[in-house]
Amino acid sequence: MSETGVAVKLAGNHDIADARNTACILYYPSLFKETLVKDLVRDLNAKAINVAVDDINNSGLHPAARYDVVILLSGCKAGATLPLAPAYIKANDYASNIIYFSAYTLWAIPYNADLPKGKVDAITAASSKGTKEIQATESDILAATMKKIGR
């Protein structure tokens, strides 16, 4: 259990054996991303969507083909994009059901020579503790998720 109370497990009232209407959220733990996870789980469950939540270090246990949508919550450290989200995207052959969120700085953007812009949808925002910024980011991710699920 993290400091914000996000459990690393299935979150929802629906049977995960039926992969329809199932999202997977893989994230790097941080206060900003854990708040996003909690809000996304709440709002996706309200739309009858199962949500599997796990640390991005366990991403190999969650192939993109298993889910309707995979949400990667990533970021940067020391001016560089964190490596596990781009590695997951490439390992899953740039699957169209992946949403890549990256908290960023001016020096670390989600796209680079190893992750070309035309091959993956990315949502970016500055990491923030502000409610308004978190809600705006969650709204963008939720809209992209619903679009990928076809709702």
Side-chain angles (χ1 to χ4, degrees):
M1 188 75 74
S2 70
E3 64 188 71
T4 58
V6 175
V8 180
K9 63 178 182 174
L10 175 66
N13 301 326
H14 312 284
D15 183 5
I16 195 67
D18 181 359
R20 291 174 305 187
N21 295 315
T22 302
C24 179
I25 301 173
L26 302 172
Y27 72 104
Y28 282 96
S30 76
L31 184 59
F32 177 70
K33 288 184 245 0
E34 289 172 354
T35 302
L36 281 174
V37 168
K38 188 169 72 172
D39 291 350
L40 284 165
V41 166
R42 178 198 64 221
D43 291 344
L44 290 168
N45 283 168
K47 296 177 182 299
I49 296 171
N50 299 312
V51 185
V53 178
D54 207 346
D55 186 295
I56 199 163
N57 287 299
N58 298 322
S59 61
L61 302 174
H62 302 278
R66 183 182 294 164
Y67 305 97
D68 289 315
V69 65
V70 176
I71 303 165
L72 303 175
L73 302 180
S74 189
C76 60
K77 185 174 183 178
T81 303
L82 295 170
L84 292 177
Y88 179 88
I89 292 166
K90 289 186 270 185
N92 284 275
D93 198 26
Y94 298 88
S96 64
N97 65 327
I98 296 173
I99 297 169
Y100 174 35
F101 167 79
S102 181
Y104 68 94
T105 69
L106 185 59
W107 299 279
I109 58 173
Y111 303 112
N112 56 41
D114 292 333
L115 196 60
K117 188 173 185 175
K119 287 194 152 194
V120 65
D121 293 328
I123 297 169
T124 60
S127 196
S128 172
K129 293 179 183 174
T131 301
K132 184 177 177 182
E133 291 83 1
I134 291 170
Q135 287 175 341
T137 302
E138 194 257 349
S139 178
D140 289 346
I141 295 169
L142 186 61
T145 299
M146 299 315 292
K147 183 177 178 183
K148 291 214 183 268
I149 290 177
R151 290 198 202 168

